[in-house]
Amino acid sequence: MATPILETDTLTMRFGGLVAVDAVTFTAQRDDITAIIGPNGAGKTTLFNCITGFYRPTGGALRLFRDGAPVELHHLAGHRIARAGVARTFQNIRLFPGMTALENLLVAQHNTLMASTGFGIGALLGAPRYRRAQKAAIAKAVHWLEVTDLLARADDPAGALPYGQQRRLEIARAMCTDPLLLCLDEPAAGLNPRESEELSALLRMIRDGGCSILLIEHDMGVVMGISDRIVVLDHGRKIADGTPGEVRADPRVIAAYLGEGDEGEDAA
Amino acid sequence: MTLRALKDAAITALVALGLFVPLVGLRTDVGPSGELVLRQRWGDVVILVALAFVGRLALLGWRGWRGDPKPASAARTEALRKAGLFVAPVLLGLAVLLPFIPGTGRYELDLGILVLTYVMLGWGLNIVVGLAGLLDLGYVAFYAVGAYSYALLATTFGLSFWICLPLAGLLAAFWGVLLGFPVLRLRGDYLAIVTLAFGEIIRVVLLNWVSLTNGPNGISGIPRPTFFGLTFSMSGEPDTFAGFFGIEPSPVHRVIFLYYLILGLALLTNWVSIRLRRQPLGRAWEALREDEIACRALGINVTTTKLTAFALGAMFAGIAGSFFATRQGFISPESFTFIESAIILAIVVLGGMGSQIGIAIAALVMIGGFEVFRDLDEWRMLVFGGAMVLIMVARPRGLVGHRTPSVVLRERRAIGAEHVAEGHG
Ligand SMILES: Nc1ncnc2c1ncn2[C@@H]1O[C@H](COP(=O)(O)OP(=O)(O)OP(=O)(O)O)[C@@H](O)[C@H]1O
Ligand SMILES: [Mg+2]
């Protein structure tokens, strides 16, 4: 059970004098949902940006365990990290608003599709290999549209979807890259209670399908309900790390996070 | 409301006054004995300021009467898309049949060639600006590279047009990659400025590298294209076009041939763009225009994807350039000034970024209109500037602002312009 998928080792990110992530060390286990919580400005999104290659960490190491062998993520360019198997969603949704839901999911499969085009020439001339790849890509997209209950909106522009559906589409798009690790930045923000319930079910399903999840979330209902493990950050430091029960009982967490919890949940 | 409008119009008139007093009110002329005399034209200033006042008032009145502009409804977008499906084949049919339409003479064909050259350039630039969302203000540089490549290869090595055509395209694409590599890290305005500078650099190099390019005198005696080896000379010999087919030699043959040549090249550009748009590469370009950061998170190599768009756009400009060289028989740096880049960009923007048919119509209206209104002399620029402003006010996303999905599950529906991003570089 306890094989790691991602390990951070004294990961540090500085912006000038501000230490947004301060020597954070934790391990996310394979087939777990690991939640990262903390008050606003704790450095959660910055940590994600380091993991997914949008920031180059000032110090420390990041390792992704792919088939047992570690991949040193902090050496890779952003798009290579995604190819290594780390997918993410954004705190403020980043879809391709002028493209349809289906197109969004096909862009996510760019690399597999590109490999079948024969430098574009084969695809230009309609080679059968490319047609098969395209068919498979559409089938995968349809699968994820079904799972996220968006099949009816497949041909609508992503920008025209209501907020909750955009959130789900972003998750579907990330899943279309066949990730080992899915990083979700506040996926429940702005959802109503029923949608949050559905989101929890979706995330459990994704985990049971063999994709580990790293979850930033302010909605404690969602976090406590589905997380296998919780890491708590405050002012860039890790202040607690354990099961939901342990974290809930940790006095430092109560002081740092739940003390400000009202404010945090209002902001979310 | 009326008071606000009056105040607004008064401010406009004030600005106009400030502008027109030095621009129009005072004019230096050369007097009878060669000295400069200052002429004052306050009457003209008054007329212009009054025009600005009334015009602003009318614009405000019209806006108030029409209410806030609302995004085109889905139904209208859809109707426009259907109309496009109908207009495109009609235009294509007209283009193919033009040489045989009675009343088409040399002048009409020459105009057709000119328009089609700009259609091809517009479609080429559309890959860069419309699909990938990279603002390129120096597109004419690649046109120049193509033209000079053909001119030099043909005059120095005697290579035939049909060998030079792909070579010129490849050379232009090569320059596109060379420029793109350092430049594509820049975004938005910065990219625009650097490409603008690149366009000028190429022109200045062409002007000053006299030993290679013959400088401002240009290159003349560029071989004319042959019909698979048959020349279009007037002699009627068996190795000429007319002699081989046993028809009366006529100078129109070459023009018709050139016309179909550029039509074919433009259609090739169109075909490649349309096909690529439905494929991973084209979809990645559009995704890049929509959101570059999301692309990176999905594992798309942003730099190479931008480079392919840049190189492909440059390639089509290069091919169009070598066509230009063979058609003119003479080229000089004069033909590749910034205004050319601006015209091509205007065609793409006015036509609707990303829309093939919109760009074709914009090229037809702009270039065709430019020629037709030749009699207006210096007013021509003013008329066209005004027309462009009007189009941008009425249809800020260009003639055809909506986007057609590249792939559909059930039914193809147009995507309204309000959702589609322009790209940030
Ligand atoms: N690019 C940046 N440059 C400078 N400072 C930054 C940058 N990004 C984040 N920060 C700072 O780092 C700290 C952590 O920000 P971060 O966005 O990671 O917080 P967060 O835990 O995601 O908060 P929230 O719950 O509000 O999303 C904040 O003080 C923020 O101002
Ligand atoms: Mg955050």
Side-chain angles (χ1 to χ4, degrees), chain B residues 99 188 274 300 341:
Chain B
I274 289 181
I300 294 175
S341 290

Side-chain angles (χ1 to χ4, degrees), chain B residues 297-317:
Chain B
L298 295 173
I300 294 175
N301 186 336
V302 171
T303 315
T304 49
T305 308
K306 281 183 177 176
L307 268 182
T308 54
F310 223 64
L312 213 68
M315 186 184 86
F316 287 121

Side-chain angles (χ1 to χ4, degrees), chain A residues 105-140:
Chain A
L105 300 194
L106 288 185
V107 172
Q109 302 176 56
H110 177 77
N111 290 320
T112 21
L113 276 172
M114 254 336 244
S116 72
T117 59
F119 296 104
I121 311 285
L124 207 60
L125 303 174
R129 188 159 91 95
Y130 169 70
R131 291 225 201 107
R132 274 199 304 276
Q134 161 115 341
K135 215 177 227 165
I138 291 181
K140 189 194 279 177

Side-chain angles (χ1 to χ4, degrees), chain B residues 118-166:
Chain B
Y118 279 94
V119 170
M120 174 166 178
L121 286 169
W123 280 340
L125 183 60
N126 179 48
I127 296 176
V128 183
V129 178
L131 295 183
L134 305 166
L135 187 50
D136 182 355
L137 290 182
Y139 192 59
V140 78
F142 305 120
Y143 189 45
V145 167
Y148 271 86
S149 300
Y150 171 61
L152 291 173
L153 286 173
T155 52
T156 345
F157 300 112
L159 294 181
S160 95
F161 175 72
W162 295 104
I163 296 176
C164 290
L165 194 69

